[in-house]
Amino acid sequence: MKTIIEPFRIKSVEPLRHTTREQRDALIKNAGYNLFKLQAKDVLIDLLTDSGTSAMSTGQWAAMMRGDESYAGSASFFRMKQVVQDLMGFRHVIPTHQGRAAERILFSVMCRPGQVVPNNTHFDTTRANIEFAGARAVDLPIPAAADTQAQLPFKGDMDVAALERLIAQEGAQRIPLVMMTVTNNSGGGQPVSMRNLEAVREVASRHGIPFYLDACRFAENAWLIGEREPEYRGWPPREIARKMFALADGCTFSAKKDAFANIGGMLCTNDDRLAAQETNLLILTEGFPTYGGLAGRDLEAIAVGLEEVLDPDYLRYRIVSTAYLGRHIAQGGVPIVEPPGGHAVYIDAARMLPHIARSRFPGQALAVELYRHAGIRSVEIGSVMFGAAARHELLRLAIPRRVYTQSHIDYVVEAILEVNAARDRIRGMRIVEEPPFLRHFSASFDWID
Ligand SMILES: *Cc1c(COP(=O)(O)O)cnc(C)c1O
């Protein structure tokens, strides 16, 4: 059989609510044209993020019932730690309430003001936490990633020569760690090859710099390595993932992505001295080391999710269904970041709306228009999110895991093609009000006449 189906059936459903165009016009205006400020009930198809929005399995819900809510020494923690260590192999597993808490702790312990942290592309919270620690976050994507239309298998890779230059320029002692984000979320959800991970690890080791993974989407990355890197064809995703983790000295992880959990994260390291300092900070802001800001039941959901995500049937469906959306809108003439990524499809808004200057936020304008037209929520990944550091003006359509069916996606395709047909009428936007950090979450916008 050629048809690839959703590898699950639905046991519990959540109704969707339709709104009219007039209602949506008023709702988005009241939200300051910021989709983060909409109420979720006013959204029909929510592609804002794949973070914490997964549908949990019967296995996860069942495991949650045996969550051990003991303050200290919870059995749920030890179950999760076992699963994490079998997969990732790190000596210390520090649970946090989500990925950014792990980042905050990691960078407060490892970074001094004036230092530099390279990454293939920093995620927004990663960049913000590095800058908050007084260090500088530097993106080193491969030059080919600048062309959103280039069809390359591993556009998430880091530019290894640029890393060498940065180390030569700054001096290794000013680089407390090298990070690699798998998959490269802000770089279009593109995977990183094993060969590139090995090359970066080699450079970091040669200079005595620790190497960390931002591992949020390790399973999607592992699957894409298996599909696209000839040496790994036919390898089980778990073995590929193990090999990725074996290259690193530690990782940050948001369980809201590839662990199918609605909340949770962790910080892992092989360094005993760092782990002790990190645990002290954990107690200060997250909680005791055997729960770290989570309930015992959350730890159970993560443990089960980390096993389920490596099921080849799931990963095949996941990657194929994301590509389905990408292929259908691209065939209809919408410029997307090629090839479609693991967890999301990114529209190149600057290319789709060439009449809107980058300073007038084409990605934000498109996000607002797609909501007004069809009640679909997406997110700008461009100058609103990253300011001057933005490399592209993208609109991200993130696909929650195991949540929407093919007919939902067909509706999204139709809506995007209709918006594209009337794209000449979309106007640019300006910022009316913004906070000092992570402005995309709360800024207000208005149309430019
Ligand atoms: C989501 C994400 C984070 C932060 O995790 P949260 O759980 O949202 O705090 C960090 N890095 C990447 C690549 C992410 O996608």
Side-chain angles (χ1 to χ4, degrees), residues 90 106-107 110-111 115-122 126 130 136-141 156-168 170-182 192 196-215 244 247-252 268 274:
F90 298 118
L106 177 71
F107 301 131
M110 291 192 86
C111 293
Q115 290 187 327
V116 177
V117 181
N119 199 324
N120 46 355
T121 311
H122 289 278
T126 320
I130 289 168
R136 194 153 55 87
V138 176
D139 292 342
L140 301 175
D157 282 355
M158 182 184 276
D159 183 341
V160 181
L163 176 64
E164 294 267 27
R165 282 197 298 277
L166 182 79
I167 296 172
E170 298 289 336
Q173 73 292 344
R174 275 166 49 94
I175 301 181
L177 73 163
V178 174
M179 282 198 100
M180 284 281 271
T181 306
V182 294
V192 176
N196 189 248
L197 288 170
E198 285 169 336
V200 172
R201 156 78 287 165
E202 190 279 318
V203 172
S205 300
R206 182 149 37 82
H207 293 279
I209 305 171
F211 176 55
Y212 275 65
L213 293 178
D214 177 341
M244 291 162 57
L247 293 168
D249 298 301
C251 76
T252 55
C268 300
L274 285 179

Side-chain angles (χ1 to χ4, degrees), residues 349-360:
R351 191 176 276 261
M352 175 171 164
L353 305 172
H355 60 288
I356 303 180
R358 294 188 67 166
S359 57
R360 298 184 164 191

Side-chain angles (χ1 to χ4, degrees), residues 41-111:
K41 69 172 175 52
D42 299 325
V43 174
L44 184 66
I45 305 279
D46 205 344
L47 307 183
L48 181 72
T49 178
D50 63 321
S51 178
T53 53
S54 299
M56 289 209 294
S57 66
T58 49
Q60 285 178 295
W61 284 110
M64 286 178 82
M65 277 308 293
R66 65 168 189 203
D68 174 359
E69 306 302 344
S70 303
Y71 190 97
S74 157
S76 300
F77 171 71
F78 292 103
R79 270 194 286 274
M80 183 199 81
K81 186 175 174 193
Q82 186 69 53
V83 170
V84 171
Q85 287 183 326
D86 284 351
L87 171 66
M88 306 188 187
F90 298 118
R91 267 227 291 290
H92 301 279
V93 178
I94 299 170
T96 59
H97 78 277
Q98 54 183 91
R100 69 198 67 188
E103 292 170 349
R104 168 104 156 97
I105 292 171
L106 177 71
F107 301 131
S108 348
V109 168
M110 291 192 86
C111 293

Side-chain angles (χ1 to χ4, degrees), residues 49-52 96-103 119 121-126 129 179 181-186 214-217 252-257 263-265 343 396 441:
T49 178
D50 63 321
S51 178
T96 59
H97 78 277
Q98 54 183 91
R100 69 198 67 188
E103 292 170 349
N119 199 324
T121 311
H122 289 278
F123 183 65
D124 60 345
T125 61
T126 320
N129 275 298
M179 282 198 100
T181 306
V182 294
T183 57
N184 188 340
N185 184 359
S186 307
D214 177 341
C216 297
R217 298 180 183 79
T252 55
F253 181 69
S254 169
K256 302 171 72 172
K257 322 287 171 55
I263 196 72
H343 69 292
R396 186 183 72 183
F441 289 132

